[in-house]
């Protein structure tokens, strides 16, 4: 990829819903970005976002925006079933693209968009902001430093009553999410890319388990998944549930020499390994207790400072922008995006087996 000489990148945001208000603070304030336009089918939403973040222009039509503004980079933040067409439009207009997850509903669709980006000579990145969260960075460092030994297991659990909102509102018509796994599909890429990054799972693995609609809510499509992944070297469990409390986004990594865990909703880092195991386990418990108390105060501070679950997104976006400007490989690769989409396909197939 040829480096872009000018800074900042001329950026446009398409889709002005809730997730846009996570992207726009970076685009509006970073020295790497110049917010030239926002776009939404709703004139009111486009106008509100444009006014709040100082966009150069507001639009309700993607084609008009791309023709008149010619941005260097486009953030596609619309509902998932619209991503394919909009991403292709942006690439054809000569823009790099950051697309919210899930970028598409299948591996084949993801591969098609990546091929289109290759032909255009542009960067295409599916957002995986949780990899830039403090707790995940800490877990990856423990793994990279060898403090867990060889990773043998990785479990990811999302316990969230997402049917309490529009996903489950029976007063609305149609499926909540127009994707193969229904409401679950909107969250599943997060679990998969975390599992892949922390476990190092290979290309060949067995996937077993259940994808179900346990609430019988027709809006949800599917609202529960419990899957086991095993490649013969590393194994793991991926779960999404709407009926367990309190809400949690728990990640546990177990290795041959230690175990570490965190919760992305209320972050802490628990680390169990030599020498504080076995007879010395109480020392480890004391150390973990102190760390948990520190995490409690840190979480309180983070709540006040609004350092929430999305705090890794600006770091991810900065890495993407810098890669484009410098002409270096993007921090999220095509191989990684394909692998995530492929595992998602494998887990969607569990609906037929359950």
């Amino acid at each position: 990829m040829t480096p872009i000489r000018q800074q900042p990148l001329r950026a446009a945001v398409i889709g002005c819903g809730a997730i846009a208000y996570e992207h726009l603070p970076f685009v509006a304030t970073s020295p790497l970005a110049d917010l030239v336009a926002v776009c939404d089918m709703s004139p009111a939403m486009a106008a509100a976002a444009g006014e709040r973040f100082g966009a150069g222009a507001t639009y309700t039509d993607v084609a008009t925006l791309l023709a008149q503004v010619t941005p260097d980079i486009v953030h596609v933040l619309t509902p998932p079933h619209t991503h394919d067409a909009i991403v292709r439009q942006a690439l054809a207009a000569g823009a790099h693209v950051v697309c919210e997850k899930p970028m598409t509903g299948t591996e084949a669709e993801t591969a098609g968009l990546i091929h289109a980006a290759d032909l255009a000579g542009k960067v295409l990145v599916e957002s995986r902001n949780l990899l830039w969260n403090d707790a995940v960075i800490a877990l990856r460092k423990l793994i990279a430093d060898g403090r867990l030994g060889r990773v043998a297991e990785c479990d990811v659990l999302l316990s969230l009553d997402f049917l309490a909102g529009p996903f489950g509102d029976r007063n609305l018509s149609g499926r909540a999410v127009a994707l193969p796994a229904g409401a679950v599909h909107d969250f599943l890429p997060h679990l998969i890319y975390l599992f892949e990054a922390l476990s190092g799972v290979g290309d060949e693995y067995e996937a077993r388990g259940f994808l179900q609609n346990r609430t019988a809510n027709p809006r949800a499509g599917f609202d529960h998944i419990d899957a086991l992944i095993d490649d013969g070297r590393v194994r793991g469990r991926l779960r999404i549930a709407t009926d367990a409390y309190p809400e949690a986004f728990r990640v546990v990594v177990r290795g041959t020499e230690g175990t570490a865990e965190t919760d992305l909703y209320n972050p802490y880092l628990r680390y169990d390994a030599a020498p504080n195991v076995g007879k010395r386990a109480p020392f480890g418990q004391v150390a973990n207790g102190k760390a948990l108390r520190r995490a409690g105060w840190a979480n309180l501070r983070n709540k006040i400072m609004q350092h929430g679950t999305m705090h890794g997104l600006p770091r991810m976006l900065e890495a993407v922008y810098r890669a484009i400007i410098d002409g270096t490989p993007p921090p999220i690769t095509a191989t990684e995006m394909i692998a995530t989409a492929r595992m998602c396909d494998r887990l969607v197939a569990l609906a037929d087996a359950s």
Side-chain angles (χ1 to χ4, degrees):
M1 185 180 69
T2 304
I4 290 182
R5 299 297 179 185
Q6 72 272 18
Q7 286 188 342
L9 298 184
R10 293 166 49 79
V13 170
I14 299 175
C16 296
I19 193 62
Y21 284 75
E22 303 292 345
H23 284 247
L24 281 165
F26 170 86
V27 182
T29 62
S30 171
L32 304 179
D34 176 17
L35 180 58
V36 295
V38 296
C39 179
D40 196 278
M41 291 179 61
S42 164
M45 292 183 70
E51 181 178 357
R52 176 170 174 178
F53 293 100
T58 60
Y59 293 86
T60 57
D61 180 70
V62 173
T64 304
L65 180 156
L66 294 173
Q68 293 185 357
V69 177
T70 60
D72 297 316
I73 185 168
V74 169
H75 296 235
V76 177
L77 313 179
T78 55
H81 68 279
T82 68
H83 288 171
D84 189 283
I86 296 174
V87 169
R88 290 181 184 275
Q89 280 183 276
L91 293 171
H96 304 281
V97 177
V98 174
C99 184
E100 260 303 322
K101 61 79 204 160
M103 185 163 68
T104 73
T106 67
E107 178 189 355
E109 292 169 343
T110 295
L113 288 184
I114 289 172
H115 180 62
D118 287 342
L119 291 179
K122 298 300 177 182
V123 167
L124 171 62
V125 165
E126 179 185 33
S127 180
R128 42 188 66 193
N129 53 284
L130 295 180
L131 293 180
W132 276 263
N133 276 28
D134 296 340
V136 177
I137 291 171
L139 284 177
R140 298 184 80 175
K141 187 174 189 308
L142 286 173
I143 295 168
D145 291 347
R147 296 179 65 186
L148 302 185
R150 179 184 64 80
V151 173
E153 293 184 344
C154 179
D155 296 344
V156 187
L157 163 67
L158 174 61
S159 175
L160 177 66
D161 186 11
F162 48 80
L163 299 186
F167 281 177
D169 189 341
R170 295 172 188 260
N171 295 310
L172 301 175
S173 62
R175 287 272 290 270
V177 180
L179 290 167
V184 160
H185 211 134
D186 201 57
F187 303 92
L188 196 51
H190 277 318
L191 279 71
I192 293 174
Y193 71 66
L194 284 171
F195 173 72
E196 290 172 332
L198 295 170
S199 71
V201 65
D203 293 331
E204 300 294 329
Y205 50 83
E206 181 183 7
R208 296 179 286 116
F210 303 94
L211 175 64
Q212 300 171 325
N213 184 330
R214 292 195 170 181
T215 63
N217 186 323
R219 288 272 296 159
F222 296 99
D223 55 34
H224 178 89
I225 189 168
D226 191 342
L228 300 175
I229 309 293
D230 191 340
D231 73 356
R233 182 190 59 86
V234 64
R235 56 195 175 270
R237 188 179 184 188
L238 307 182
R239 291 180 288 162
I240 299 178
T242 65
D243 58 355
Y245 188 80
E247 294 181 346
F249 203 152
R250 193 69 51 81
V251 182
V252 183
V253 183
R254 303 180 188 89
T256 56
E257 297 180 19
T259 294
E261 69 174 58
T262 190
D263 188 314
L264 300 184
Y265 285 164
N266 292 289
Y268 63 90
L269 184 64
R270 174 172 176 171
Y271 171 61
D272 292 307
N276 294 326
V277 294
K279 293 181 179 180
R280 291 179 56 87
F283 294 98
Q285 292 172 332
V286 169
N288 282 321
K290 291 180 178 178
L292 191 59
R293 284 195 297 272
R294 290 196 299 271
W297 286 110
N299 289 337
L300 177 60
R301 181 192 66 232
N302 289 340
K303 296 292 185 185
I304 295 171
M305 300 301 294
Q306 298 184 334
H307 185 76
T309 309
M310 297 293 294
H311 72 263
L313 181 63
R315 297 170 179 169
M316 185 203 81
L317 293 176
E318 179 172 357
V320 172
Y321 273 61
R322 287 199 178 279
I324 292 170
I325 291 168
D326 296 341
T328 55
I332 300 165
T333 68
T335 299
E336 291 167 338
M337 290 187 285
I338 289 289
T340 297
R342 180 179 301 125
M343 186 174 289
C344 199
D345 280 0
R346 295 281 301 275
L347 298 186
V348 168
L350 297 178
D352 297 328
S354 57

